[in-house]
Amino acid sequence: RLSFELATFAKDDEIIESEESLSETYDVFSSLSGDEIVNGYINYTTRSRESWYGFGGSYILTDKITLGLSTFVVDKNVRSQTIFSYNVFPQTDTVFQGPAPVPFFVSAIDSYSRYKISNFRNFFKAGFAYTTDGLSFGITITTPSWSAIGTGESARSLRFINIPNDEETGFRQDIIVSDAQTGLSAQLKDPWSFAAGMTYRSNDRKNLISVSGEYFTGINAYKSIAGDVNPNISNQEIFDQLPVKDILSRTHGGNQILNFAVGYQRVTEKGNAIMTGFRTDYDYIRNFNYDELSDYKALKQVTYNVYHITFGGQFKVLKNSIIGGFRYSFGSDKDPFFNLLDAGLQNP
């Protein structure tokens, strides 16, 4: 009635790459006459790998009820890099800021940021399953994780040159900020989650339908990478104006979300099986409120809701069973991935 298991598997191995550019006219500086020519470019790359190592046990309480308890150690590594360049200049040799003429100029923002996180964390799962001949039901509770070991690296460089002042005549002060640090404290957190699922099998044992859902509680904003304050990243005047001094810190958090999945399996007369399913993967960081940490750069910048459709089968060839299939995933985001025009020329 009592059994134990060891398990290890790769839960996530993901690469996200995006490269966008633009060249068009746009009214960037409201204090200047006419539209400006805008040239922009951004390159974003993130690599995420996550492996789980688990140990668990189950106990058959009755012929219909089974209890389970397991613990997992998660090894997650994330690397991310963003290169951003934004140049703006007038269409004519001279423009006007009110009555004052302004000779031709080029406004430029150049930004480079990179971070790396290596984190080990641990959490527990407890479950209950009830099974009858044609129906089974189960629930699982997952505890929040705690970080055992976490290290990080972070680098950031910003350059703001020749930015017109929209509130008065003239130009803003040029800003150059640069820093890089290694051996930083880093952490990743997982919330409470509550999952429930049900499976129904027809009396002829040829049709199976499964439905499941999992609710994740939210996580308040926190520093996933804690950078050190370095007063030498710029001159004293610019340093005093920065909204945050530890510019290499990264923030993270999460909204509460509910994901669900449905699946269907049909067994043919020859014992083969056809399977299909649908699963949601809602983004937990979409429209997240970072509260007092909103001036920091966020760890996660891609906010897509993703939906997965799967189709496959199990086929018997001689005395062997072959299982195969494919998955089609698509995402939605109400805002463009990177909208360079809306990025604006903002101070760090």
Side-chain angles (χ1 to χ4, degrees), residues 29 88 105-108 160-164 171-174 345:
F29 306 122
V88 182
F105 66 93
V106 177
S107 296
F160 294 73
I161 306 296
N162 288 339
I163 310 299
F171 288 75
R172 302 180 189 178
Q173 179 186 21
D174 291 343
L345 298 177

Side-chain angles (χ1 to χ4, degrees), residues 69-72 122-126 140-146 189-194 217:
L69 179 66
S70 59
T71 183
F72 290 88
N122 173 248
F123 60 84
F124 291 85
K125 286 180 175 286
T140 301
I141 299 175
T142 305
T143 68
S145 64
W146 61 275
K189 297 181 179 180
D190 298 296
W192 283 98
S193 72
F194 305 89
T217 63

Side-chain angles (χ1 to χ4, degrees), residues 27-339:
D27 185 16
V28 178
F29 306 122
S30 60
S31 65
L32 300 180
S33 59
D35 294 345
E36 291 79 37
I37 296 176
V38 182
N39 290 327
Y41 169 81
I42 191 167
N43 179 278
Y44 174 84
T45 304
T46 293
R47 173 71 184 267
S48 175
R49 301 185 66 180
E50 183 173 292
S51 299
W52 287 25
Y53 308 92
F55 171 77
S58 62
Y59 180 72
I60 302 176
L61 189 63
T62 69
D63 59 345
K64 295 182 179 180
I65 298 175
T66 302
L67 305 177
L69 179 66
S70 59
T71 183
F72 290 88
V73 174
V74 180
D75 173 20
K76 184 161 188 175
N77 294 273
V78 183
R79 296 172 179 261
S80 183
Q81 176 179 280
T82 303
I83 300 173
F84 180 90
S85 179
Y86 195 155
N87 297 318
V88 182
F89 47 90
Q91 300 183 66
T92 59
D93 291 341
T94 302
V95 293
F96 291 87
Q97 194 173 43
V102 179
F104 181 86
F105 66 93
V106 177
S107 296
I109 288 182
D110 294 304
S111 174
Y112 170 81
S113 64
R114 173 184 57 83
Y115 71 84
K116 174 184 176 182
I117 287 181
S118 180
N119 176 258
F120 284 89
R121 62 193 192 275
N122 173 248
F123 60 84
F124 291 85
K125 286 180 175 286
F128 160 87
Y130 177 82
T131 304
T132 63
D133 287 341
L135 183 68
S136 62
F137 172 80
I139 58 174
T140 301
I141 299 175
T142 305
T143 68
S145 64
W146 61 275
S147 290
I149 302 173
T151 60
E153 300 176 5
S154 186
R156 192 176 177 193
S157 175
L158 302 165
R159 188 171 70 99
F160 294 73
I161 306 296
N162 288 339
I163 310 299
N165 196 325
D166 285 338
E167 298 178 357
E168 56 187 66
T169 59
F171 288 75
R172 302 180 189 178
Q173 179 186 21
D174 291 343
I175 294 178
I176 298 178
V177 179
S178 181
D179 196 12
Q181 298 174 9
T182 61
L184 300 176
S185 174
Q187 61 175 329
L188 295 170
K189 297 181 179 180
D190 298 296
W192 283 98
S193 72
F194 305 89
M198 181 182 69
T199 299
Y200 169 76
R201 187 180 295 274
S202 60
N203 292 332
D204 59 7
R205 318 300 289 179
K206 292 184 178 181
N207 297 281
L208 183 144
I209 300 174
S210 63
V211 180
S212 65
E214 186 167 13
Y215 167 75
F216 298 85
T217 63
I219 300 177
N220 294 330
Y222 66 96
K223 288 185 179 181
S224 53
I225 299 178
D228 297 326
V229 176
N230 178 8
N232 298 317
I233 59 177
S234 190
N235 63 43
Q236 189 63 47
E237 183 179 0
I238 294 176
F239 182 80
D240 292 339
Q241 296 176 12
L242 295 177
V244 296
K245 311 306 181 186
D246 51 334
I247 67 168
L248 298 184
S249 295
R250 294 276 181 157
T251 58
H252 203 39
N255 294 312
Q256 54 183 347
I257 58 171
L258 174 64
N259 283 315
F260 69 91
V262 295
Y264 173 73
Q265 175 181 288
R266 168 70 179 180
V267 179
T268 66
E269 296 295 338
K270 296 182 178 181
N272 298 322
I274 298 174
M275 297 169 280
T276 186
F278 174 80
R279 177 172 63 89
T280 66
D281 188 4
Y282 293 119
D283 192 274
Y284 59 88
I285 208 69
R286 195 177 192 184
N287 300 321
F288 179 70
N289 184 3
Y290 289 93
D291 297 322
E292 67 273 10
L293 298 179
S294 59
D295 287 329
Y296 288 91
K297 287 187 71 66
L299 187 72
K300 181 176 170 60
Q301 299 183 32
V302 182
T303 58
Y304 280 101
N305 289 333
V306 182
Y307 307 90
H308 307 278
I309 299 175
T310 57
F311 182 83
Q314 177 177 325
F315 308 97
K316 292 184 178 180
V317 179
L318 300 178
K319 296 183 178 180
N320 300 309
S321 293
I322 299 175
I323 300 176
F326 66 89
R327 181 182 70 183
Y328 174 72
S329 301
F330 60 97
S332 68
D333 191 346
K334 65 179 183 181
D335 298 317
F337 178 64
F338 282 113
N339 191 327

Side-chain angles (χ1 to χ4, degrees), residues 1-17:
R1 287 181 176 271
L2 182 64
S3 61
F4 298 95
E5 289 186 356
L6 289 171
T8 177
F9 55 91
K11 184 177 183 293
D12 177 40
D13 191 348
E14 180 180 63
I15 299 178
I16 299 176
E17 295 180 317

